[in-house]
Amino acid sequence: MKVLRSRGRHEGETRGYDAIRPYLASVQPVLTDWAEAGLLSLREITRRHVDAAVDGHAGRARRQLALALRSLFRTLKRERVVFRDPAQHLRVGNPTGIPKPVRSDLLANALQQTKTPLGRMVLVLAAVHAVPVHELRTILTCDLDLARGTLVIRRGLRRHTLYLEELTHRITADWLGYRHGRWPASTNPRLLVSQRSALDPDHPAVGKTLLRDDLPQGLTLVGLRQDRILNEAAETADPLRLMRLFGITEKTAMHYVTVAHPERTAKLPR
């Protein structure tokens, strides 16, 4: 704040509070997630932490967060608070505009490499059911019905029902047993909780950083989700099936079909 108000080590342009507030609003949740993960100094932040922070954001939200993180660490380095800039590599634009498949060698042993019940739960919801990261944090336990094998995802006024196949059903049951055994007194209504959020009386959502921490190296939640939808699009080329299966919009479904089958859609009117 002092630097943005031109009160730092080096003289610079003084920014108004109206310009500062959007930066703070973008970066504050990330700083909170890092603190919850035990990263109490920004000198501990690495490039991987920064990449994980922007993972799950797209469009304007990603651009704003990338700008805020780049500005934050550039300023801290100039002020000699940190010695390296882990956000220097960030692209401001959205690099995930064209979905890309995940390398098969990364996917092959992903479940075996994921050691914790929470990590395996996050992995199957992203890789099998293409649940986006912001929805992973807010799934409610009351919307899970293991007897029927369903999990309802709330999307505003809409509801999208996941039908749990054998693998997801087993991993979900394992997580639920672990959650109740580890934190039997937890009243947090969310399905996914951490050691901190499970017993917090304010019932916060689990941090994004924690959800990504258990993923094997080279995998991201955004990448897993895109790979799943892209794979289905390659198999069926049916946007209506994608919409029903993943609860995505017609525009998004057509985008994936176009990427998966460019030869079929090249002559369609734009």
Side-chain angles (χ1 to χ4, degrees), residues 43-55:
R43 292 180 180 178
E44 301 178 55
I45 303 303
T46 66
R47 175 171 177 164
R48 186 183 180 193
H49 293 124
V50 171
D51 288 340
V54 298
D55 181 18

PDB file of all heavy atoms in Angstrom, residues 43-55:
ATOM      1  N   ARG A  43       8.558 -14.646   1.179  1.00  0.00           N
ATOM      2  CA  ARG A  43       9.838 -15.160   0.689  1.00  0.00           C
ATOM      3  C   ARG A  43       9.780 -16.673   0.434  1.00  0.00           C
ATOM      4  O   ARG A  43      10.639 -17.218  -0.252  1.00  0.00           O
ATOM      5  CB  ARG A  43      10.947 -14.851   1.699  1.00  0.00           C
ATOM      6  CG  ARG A  43      11.268 -13.362   1.814  1.00  0.00           C
ATOM      7  CD  ARG A  43      12.365 -13.104   2.827  1.00  0.00           C
ATOM      8  NE  ARG A  43      12.659 -11.674   2.929  1.00  0.00           N
ATOM      9  CZ  ARG A  43      13.540 -11.162   3.768  1.00  0.00           C
ATOM     10  NH1 ARG A  43      14.224 -11.959   4.589  1.00  0.00           N
ATOM     11  NH2 ARG A  43      13.759  -9.856   3.802  1.00  0.00           N
ATOM     12  N   GLU A  44       8.775 -17.328   1.005  1.00  0.00           N
ATOM     13  CA  GLU A  44       8.607 -18.769   0.807  1.00  0.00           C
ATOM     14  C   GLU A  44       7.870 -19.099  -0.487  1.00  0.00           C
ATOM     15  O   GLU A  44       7.838 -20.257  -0.901  1.00  0.00           O
ATOM     16  CB  GLU A  44       7.838 -19.375   1.976  1.00  0.00           C
ATOM     17  CG  GLU A  44       8.476 -19.205   3.341  1.00  0.00           C
ATOM     18  CD  GLU A  44       7.606 -19.800   4.431  1.00  0.00           C
ATOM     19  OE1 GLU A  44       7.259 -20.994   4.332  1.00  0.00           O
ATOM     20  OE2 GLU A  44       7.244 -19.055   5.368  1.00  0.00           O
ATOM     21  N   ILE A  45       7.271 -18.122  -1.110  1.00  0.00           N
ATOM     22  CA  ILE A  45       6.448 -18.364  -2.293  1.00  0.00           C
ATOM     23  C   ILE A  45       7.329 -18.678  -3.492  1.00  0.00           C
ATOM     24  O   ILE A  45       8.297 -17.971  -3.781  1.00  0.00           O
ATOM     25  CB  ILE A  45       5.556 -17.141  -2.597  1.00  0.00           C
ATOM     26  CG1 ILE A  45       4.684 -16.817  -1.382  1.00  0.00           C
ATOM     27  CG2 ILE A  45       4.683 -17.404  -3.815  1.00  0.00           C
ATOM     28  CD1 ILE A  45       3.811 -17.963  -0.920  1.00  0.00           C
ATOM     29  N   THR A  46       6.982 -19.745  -4.206  1.00  0.00           N
ATOM     30  CA  THR A  46       7.717 -20.162  -5.387  1.00  0.00           C
ATOM     31  C   THR A  46       6.849 -19.995  -6.635  1.00  0.00           C
ATOM     32  O   THR A  46       5.656 -19.674  -6.543  1.00  0.00           O
ATOM     33  CB  THR A  46       8.144 -21.628  -5.273  1.00  0.00           C
ATOM     34  OG1 THR A  46       6.959 -22.455  -5.271  1.00  0.00           O
ATOM     35  CG2 THR A  46       8.938 -21.871  -3.984  1.00  0.00           C
ATOM     36  N   ARG A  47       7.452 -20.273  -7.749  1.00  0.00           N
ATOM     37  CA  ARG A  47       6.710 -20.193  -9.011  1.00  0.00           C
ATOM     38  C   ARG A  47       5.515 -21.148  -8.997  1.00  0.00           C
ATOM     39  O   ARG A  47       4.454 -20.818  -9.518  1.00  0.00           O
ATOM     40  CB  ARG A  47       7.648 -20.530 -10.177  1.00  0.00           C
ATOM     41  CG  ARG A  47       6.957 -20.583 -11.527  1.00  0.00           C
ATOM     42  CD  ARG A  47       7.962 -20.691 -12.656  1.00  0.00           C
ATOM     43  NE  ARG A  47       7.290 -20.816 -13.944  1.00  0.00           N
ATOM     44  CZ  ARG A  47       7.871 -20.629 -15.108  1.00  0.00           C
ATOM     45  NH1 ARG A  47       9.137 -20.289 -15.155  1.00  0.00           N
ATOM     46  NH2 ARG A  47       7.202 -20.762 -16.229  1.00  0.00           N
ATOM     47  N   ARG A  48       5.691 -22.315  -8.378  1.00  0.00           N
ATOM     48  CA  ARG A  48       4.589 -23.278  -8.324  1.00  0.00           C
ATOM     49  C   ARG A  48       3.416 -22.723  -7.527  1.00  0.00           C
ATOM     50  O   ARG A  48       2.254 -22.924  -7.889  1.00  0.00           O
ATOM     51  CB  ARG A  48       5.083 -24.584  -7.696  1.00  0.00           C
ATOM     52  CG  ARG A  48       4.014 -25.681  -7.740  1.00  0.00           C
ATOM     53  CD  ARG A  48       4.470 -26.932  -7.050  1.00  0.00           C
ATOM     54  NE  ARG A  48       3.432 -27.960  -7.105  1.00  0.00           N
ATOM     55  CZ  ARG A  48       3.434 -29.060  -6.387  1.00  0.00           C
ATOM     56  NH1 ARG A  48       4.415 -29.289  -5.543  1.00  0.00           N
ATOM     57  NH2 ARG A  48       2.458 -29.942  -6.496  1.00  0.00           N
ATOM     58  N   HIS A  49       3.697 -22.028  -6.435  1.00  0.00           N
ATOM     59  CA  HIS A  49       2.611 -21.435  -5.650  1.00  0.00           C
ATOM     60  C   HIS A  49       1.845 -20.398  -6.475  1.00  0.00           C
ATOM     61  O   HIS A  49       0.614 -20.316  -6.420  1.00  0.00           O
ATOM     62  CB  HIS A  49       3.173 -20.763  -4.393  1.00  0.00           C
ATOM     63  CG  HIS A  49       3.748 -21.724  -3.407  1.00  0.00           C
ATOM     64  ND1 HIS A  49       5.032 -21.640  -2.950  1.00  0.00           N
ATOM     65  CD2 HIS A  49       3.207 -22.810  -2.802  1.00  0.00           C
ATOM     66  CE1 HIS A  49       5.264 -22.621  -2.099  1.00  0.00           C
ATOM     67  NE2 HIS A  49       4.170 -23.346  -1.993  1.00  0.00           N
ATOM     68  N   VAL A  50       2.586 -19.606  -7.235  1.00  0.00           N
ATOM     69  CA  VAL A  50       1.961 -18.571  -8.060  1.00  0.00           C
ATOM     70  C   VAL A  50       1.116 -19.206  -9.160  1.00  0.00           C
ATOM     71  O   VAL A  50      -0.019 -18.783  -9.422  1.00  0.00           O
ATOM     72  CB  VAL A  50       3.031 -17.639  -8.651  1.00  0.00           C
ATOM     73  CG1 VAL A  50       2.423 -16.696  -9.682  1.00  0.00           C
ATOM     74  CG2 VAL A  50       3.704 -16.839  -7.544  1.00  0.00           C
ATOM     75  N   ASP A  51       1.654 -20.241  -9.819  1.00  0.00           N
ATOM     76  CA  ASP A  51       0.893 -20.923 -10.864  1.00  0.00           C
ATOM     77  C   ASP A  51      -0.391 -21.535 -10.293  1.00  0.00           C
ATOM     78  O   ASP A  51      -1.447 -21.484 -10.925  1.00  0.00           O
ATOM     79  CB  ASP A  51       1.749 -22.024 -11.496  1.00  0.00           C
ATOM     80  CG  ASP A  51       2.851 -21.463 -12.384  1.00  0.00           C
ATOM     81  OD1 ASP A  51       2.722 -20.307 -12.813  1.00  0.00           O
ATOM     82  OD2 ASP A  51       3.835 -22.187 -12.633  1.00  0.00           O
ATOM     83  N   ALA A  52      -0.280 -22.105  -9.101  1.00  0.00           N
ATOM     84  CA  ALA A  52      -1.463 -22.702  -8.469  1.00  0.00           C
ATOM     85  C   ALA A  52      -2.500 -21.647  -8.125  1.00  0.00           C
ATOM     86  O   ALA A  52      -3.706 -21.901  -8.182  1.00  0.00           O
ATOM     87  CB  ALA A  52      -1.052 -23.460  -7.207  1.00  0.00           C
ATOM     88  N   ALA A  53      -2.041 -20.458  -7.790  1.00  0.00           N
ATOM     89  CA  ALA A  53      -2.963 -19.384  -7.408  1.00  0.00           C
ATOM     90  C   ALA A  53      -3.840 -18.947  -8.582  1.00  0.00           C
ATOM     91  O   ALA A  53      -5.026 -18.644  -8.402  1.00  0.00           O
ATOM     92  CB  ALA A  53      -2.183 -18.192  -6.863  1.00  0.00           C
ATOM     93  N   VAL A  54      -3.268 -18.904  -9.788  1.00  0.00           N
ATOM     94  CA  VAL A  54      -4.050 -18.459 -10.945  1.00  0.00           C
ATOM     95  C   VAL A  54      -4.792 -19.610 -11.604  1.00  0.00           C
ATOM     96  O   VAL A  54      -5.689 -19.394 -12.419  1.00  0.00           O
ATOM     97  CB  VAL A  54      -3.164 -17.740 -11.990  1.00  0.00           C
ATOM     98  CG1 VAL A  54      -2.539 -16.492 -11.402  1.00  0.00           C
ATOM     99  CG2 VAL A  54      -2.089 -18.667 -12.530  1.00  0.00           C
ATOM    100  N   ASP A  55      -4.437 -20.852 -11.245  1.00  0.00           N
ATOM    101  CA  ASP A  55      -5.126 -22.016 -11.769  1.00  0.00           C
ATOM    102  C   ASP A  55      -6.595 -21.962 -11.342  1.00  0.00           C
ATOM    103  O   ASP A  55      -6.913 -21.788 -10.179  1.00  0.00           O
ATOM    104  CB  ASP A  55      -4.457 -23.283 -11.222  1.00  0.00           C
ATOM    105  CG  ASP A  55      -5.124 -24.544 -11.745  1.00  0.00           C
ATOM    106  OD1 ASP A  55      -5.843 -24.470 -12.740  1.00  0.00           O
ATOM    107  OD2 ASP A  55      -4.904 -25.608 -11.136  1.00  0.00           O
TER     108      ASP A  55
END
